[in-house]
Amino acid sequence: MRPSPARLLNILVPVKRAVDYAVKIRVNPQQTGVDLNVKHSMNPFDEIAVEEAVRIRERLPKGSEPINITALTIGPPKSIETLRTALAMGADTAIHVEIPESAPAPEPLGVAKAIRAIIEKHKDKEGVDMVILGKQSIDDDLGQTGQMIAGLLGWGQATYASKIDLNLEQKNAVVTREIDGGLEQVRVKFPMIITTDLRLNEPRYASLPNIMKAKKKPVTKLTPADLGVSFEPQMEILKVTEPPKRVGGAKVESVDELVEKLKAAGFNAV
Amino acid sequence: MNGQKVIRRLLSTTSRFNALQTPRATDSTDVLIVGAGPAGLAAAIRIKQLKSDLRVVVLEKGGEVGSHILSGCVLEPTALYDLLGKDLSTYSSKYGCGEPPLGVKAGRSEMVWLTGDTSSMIPGQRAIRIPHPPQMNNKGNFIISLSAFTRWLGRVAEEHYGVEVYPGFAGAGVVYSDESTEDSPWVEWGGKWGKQVTGVNIPPDNQHPQVPRVLGVLTNDVGISKSYTPNSTYTPGLFFQSKLTLLAEGAHGSLSKSIIAKFSLRKESEPQTYGFGIKEVWSVNEGHIPGKIIHTLGFPLDKNTYGGGWIYHMDNNLISLGLVVGVDWENPYKSPYKDFQMMKHHPFIRSLLSPSTSNRLAYGARTLTEGGLQSLPLLHFPGGALIGDSAGTVNVAKIKGVHTAMGTGILAANAATEALSSNSNSLSTYTSSFLTSPIHSELYSIRNLRPSFHFPSFTKHHLGVLGGILYSGIDSLFLKGRTPWTFRHTQNEEERKQSVDSAPSLDSLRTKPTSVTNPIQYPPFEPPLSTDLLTSLSLTDTFHEEDQPEHLRLLTLPEAKIGVNLSEIRLEDEGEEESPSTSTSTTPDSQSQPSRSQHRQNHVRINLSHYAGLLERACPAGVYEYVEDTSSPSPPSKNETENHPQENEDENKSSWKNKKLVINAQNCIHCKLCDIKVPSQDITWSVPEGGGGPKYTIT
């Protein structure tokens, strides 16, 4: 898993095709999920991850060895659009693990195992030095995949990154993390997992010339069987409902009135 | 990053940022099509069928193919069969994009008159069956979602035929050659177009100075902030050079407007007239009859307003319903959005949409062309042509335009392939083929129906739309358009000449001032059956990047500079070291502050003093608001003598009598109504950053 002499760095960026963030979602009539017949696009946190990988390349001093950025997605045939966007933003190659259209969405543990399998496949070739992905996806908000990959591989992890400073000579990175209390800095060694938070960067628009060039970049297609993994769901979703509709409030004129209303609602003085 | 270097230099100079002067990338293609709607995609597919090695590129401003399109929609599949074959069962295997989403077969059609009081906007109780014209017989047609159909057609074009489709990239500007060395299309068509197509028989003037040709299209810039300065993501649009450019932008397209004006394509035509359609899609568990088609007249429209409603029962328990109103409505207090909401209060419709068994899923609105043959501009120009509703081929009698749009796309594609093989940039053969096509005969037979609704004599004798219905009944049933006369939309030549370019639009001229009209008291909404506008708007999922200039520009068409000459733009390999010239030509983006404020102030003055702020009522997305100006006023004389624009006084200069215009550009659903209907005719709709706008999926 060392960077091989041919390349300075190999970065793997898993991206997910999710419901577009601007769409107003609706619960489906069966109450098993959300109506998916709407616009999809790349998970915004994964866009930030792709952008960061491209910026890492741009920040390298001139004349450095090239780095390789591979985008990866697990999804139905339509997910290839998401890979094309990543390629248009600056990824060099892409891997599409294709699952049938009708299959349920993969869960984080399944995704993590698949990514482990891909990384092990690469061990014999050039190896993967860094996996950078979004901290969570906006459809399930689970926020587990990055941490699970680190656990399965035994790699260091820096999650909720808002700033990444790579130190290639020392083979580590200092990452600023967003935590509840403020900011935390950690040093993590290669190979590493980083998950991105909102303030890390602002992703670029894929320009039309880059989109056209992206069509020529190679995409490797794999099946779950090729990786020896199964995306059989481990969780069963029992019910999905909308949050209860907000009922109107009322203003009160005095403290006495407030006490009256509280008593009427069943709150009694202790 | 070439662009970044230039930006730093640009920002360090004292001249204002001129987006046109940033060097931009170029690409070239054989055919460029602006708009991935039925017309554009049909043209793209046909070209590839005829000569698959031609490069065909389609630009689409919507985030996905199908995001910006909506319609009733009952599809007459004639053009589809023409394009892809008559046997629908073969489509899935032939084209590999699954079954075509043709919804349900059209079943029984009926027409009803809804009773109601249009002065109080309270519906009556009855829906009276009336006979409908033979054109509205729907045997063999399908009730579809045009958004879903277009999305499928886009896949066929891309995956099977290898057309390059780029959603998220809008055609933002037209590039003309610097020299005018082409023959004007009027050299060949002067006197002919008016005589044979529009019925506008003006003697040809034989004055045809040479004209430039269209070299291609600029895609939209990204990363320009609200204050017209570039930010960190700034990338200038691409200059797409093309041998032939087809405009398929739909009704009142922004590039089409520029081209029609540049080449005087409406010289021998009537101005375009429009209808405004508002639509909702509901899922209904009771009372759903797949294939049922109902058209309504009467309530909520009064006898002087052209239009009608529809209820189409689609597949999957979905119902499409809506209202089309002629944009030439007279009363500035009218709100077509509210008209439509009130229409749902009529028992005939209310009974279908009960809260316990139905659920509203989608909402949208768009203008459509109604002018027919009389308003068709000459269809071609040096370097390209207009297809679909950019020309205006809707058949108002059938209330269908998709088949004619696709038909013109096919005709243009035939001509384009031929022109490319003979190295010509003239699509004159497209125009000639149109004259002998079934589309022309179809539009010819119904050409007098729409104009008959506004005969001055009918209005004088208080017949209004009833007179039109009477005439249309006779013409469509018996005469079938075989009359020596062709009615006009305009009342005289002066009115025609005034409106042939896009502004002032004929529809805006028909608006009466508040001095002679009465306010309309609409009853309250009854959610969930009828709701306020912003609740409906949330169903469109419309969104635009916040920090960008308003795309609804308070500028006239020439000021908006949608068309530029080749020498006005800079191309990337023209030498990176050149410093940006302080060009004397100003783009509207670098328009000075005082004049921008002056425009706004003028706009507010006209719209509030005479038209009660019409746009606030008419816009289906709540973009326009006339509100109190809460910033503190400074003495008027100081403002007038001031030479230097000052930021903190700007607000005052743009307000009038303490009222100012607020443009919530983020809400826009790209319907183009404001451009057409604003009484002051000073709004030019132009494309926002690509990908913004509504996200229709089932409309």
Side-chain angles (χ1 to χ4, degrees), chain B residues 220-424:
Chain B
N220 56 279
D221 298 338
V222 292
I224 299 182
S225 73
K226 249 190 161 67
S227 52
Y228 300 106
T229 52
N231 59 38
S232 63
T233 53
Y234 174 63
T235 314
L238 183 70
F239 170 38
F240 236 126
Q241 303 182 70
S242 72
K243 297 186 185 145
L244 290 172
T245 307
L246 297 180
L247 294 177
E249 299 172 291
H252 212 67
S254 31
L255 301 187
S256 311
K257 278 192 313 188
S258 165
I259 286 179
I260 291 173
K262 184 83 169 181
F263 297 105
S264 303
L265 295 179
R266 280 226 168 81
K267 200 147 81 159
E268 293 182 13
S269 316
E270 287 277 81
Q272 187 59 268
T273 70
Y274 297 89
F276 179 52
I278 306 188
K279 167 179 174 166
E280 289 176 3
V281 180
W282 288 66
S283 97
V284 160
N285 292 325
E286 246 179 60
H288 184 256
I289 306 168
K292 185 142 189 225
I293 294 174
I294 304 167
H295 288 113
T296 74
L297 288 177
F299 186 81
L301 300 177
D302 64 30
K303 66 172 171 20
N304 285 325
T305 308
Y306 179 83
W310 79 82
I311 304 161
Y312 299 154
H313 293 235
M314 301 161 70
D315 57 350
N316 284 337
N317 276 357
L318 297 177
I319 291 200
S320 152
L321 69 151
L323 179 67
V324 177
V325 182
V327 178
D328 53 357
W329 76 75
E330 295 178 336
N331 189 340
Y333 290 104
K334 183 184 198 45
S335 160
Y337 172 77
K338 288 189 175 166
D339 287 344
F340 175 49
Q341 300 302 312
M342 297 303 119
M343 183 176 119
K344 289 187 283 174
H345 291 178
H346 191 288
F348 185 69
I349 301 179
R350 188 196 283 271
S351 54
L352 195 55
L353 303 178
S354 114
S356 51
T357 58
S358 68
N359 195 18
R360 186 171 63 165
L361 300 179
Y363 162 81
R366 181 74 168 93
T367 51
L368 50 123
T369 58
E370 284 187 345
L373 276 190
Q374 293 90 323
S375 303
L376 268 185
L378 185 62
L379 297 174
H380 69 282
F381 47 87
L386 304 169
I387 58 178
D389 274 354
S390 287
T393 52
V394 169
N395 179 330
V396 277
K398 286 186 184 175
I399 325 180
K400 294 182 180 61
V402 178
H403 65 300
T404 49
M406 289 176 73
T408 56
I410 294 171
L411 291 176
N414 295 338
T417 321
E418 218 185 279
L420 285 171
S421 60
S422 58
N423 253 325
S424 152

Side-chain angles (χ1 to χ4, degrees), chain A residues 95-148:
Chain A
I95 299 174
H96 183 186
V97 180
E98 204 172 309
I99 58 177
E101 180 86 37
S102 52
E107 294 168 357
L109 187 57
V111 172
K113 288 181 175 170
I115 292 177
R116 172 177 61 178
I118 288 170
I119 290 176
E120 314 235 283
K121 258 181 172 256
H122 272 73
K123 231 195 333 198
D124 334 310
K125 289 179 252 167
E126 297 180 334
V128 172
D129 306 303
M130 185 160 131
V131 180
I132 176 164
L133 66 162
K135 67 174 181 180
Q136 67 197 64
S137 67
I138 61 171
D139 46 13
D140 51 35
D141 277 337
L142 287 170
Q144 299 164 354
T145 310
Q147 293 86 333
M148 284 178 172

Side-chain angles (χ1 to χ4, degrees), chain B residues 64-236:
Chain B
E64 274 186 340
V65 174
S67 299
H68 286 188
I69 198 163
L70 74 165
S71 177
C73 169
V74 177
L75 174 71
E76 193 180 295
T78 46
L80 177 65
Y81 294 152
D82 238 352
L83 186 69
L84 298 179
K86 266 205 102 142
D87 190 352
L88 291 170
S89 60
T90 61
Y91 280 20
S92 181
S93 48
K94 251 167 111 176
Y95 304 110
C97 296
E99 292 299 324
L102 290 178
V104 285
K105 284 209 166 86
R108 298 201 49 206
S109 300
E110 40 180 81
M111 199 146 181
V112 296
W113 178 281
L114 300 178
T115 58
D117 181 355
T118 55
S119 46
S120 63
M121 293 312 275
I122 294 179
Q125 294 302 308
R126 296 164 62 210
I128 307 166
R129 284 285 294 270
I130 53 181
H132 64 66
Q135 288 83 3
M136 287 169 102
N137 174 8
N138 282 304
K139 192 146 181 264
N141 296 339
F142 297 91
I143 305 180
I144 63 170
S145 150
L146 190 55
S147 172
F149 176 74
T150 313
R151 209 165 19 255
W152 172 82
L153 197 61
R155 285 186 61 201
V156 171
E158 232 188 335
E159 294 172 31
H160 185 78
Y161 284 102
V163 174
E164 291 173 64
V165 183
Y166 296 116
F169 291 95
V174 189
V175 180
Y176 300 108
S177 59
D178 293 318
E179 325 78 34
S180 296
T181 50
E182 306 282 332
D183 276 344
S184 161
W186 290 111
V187 167
E188 196 191 327
W189 288 88
K192 269 171 80 180
W193 185 252
K195 197 148 180 230
Q196 294 180 27
V197 178
T198 63
V200 174
N201 289 324
I202 59 171
D205 57 12
N206 290 323
Q207 292 272 29
H208 305 301
Q210 297 221 291
V211 293
R213 66 171 263 253
V214 169
L215 296 176
V217 160
L218 298 175
T219 64
N220 56 279
D221 298 338
V222 292
I224 299 182
S225 73
K226 249 190 161 67
S227 52
Y228 300 106
T229 52
N231 59 38
S232 63
T233 53
Y234 174 63
T235 314

Side-chain angles (χ1 to χ4, degrees), chain B residues 580-623:
Chain B
S581 67
T582 49
S583 151
T584 49
S585 81
T586 48
T587 61
D589 300 338
S590 54
Q591 193 183 38
S592 57
Q593 281 286 68
S595 109
R596 216 187 293 161
S597 313
Q598 188 77 321
H599 270 81
R600 245 176 149 91
Q601 186 185 67
N602 209 30
H603 170 98
V604 178
R605 181 179 56 79
I606 297 175
N607 280 281
L608 285 186
S609 27
H610 302 297
Y611 298 99
L614 181 149
L615 285 185
E616 217 172 353
R617 286 187 197 81
C619 173
V623 170

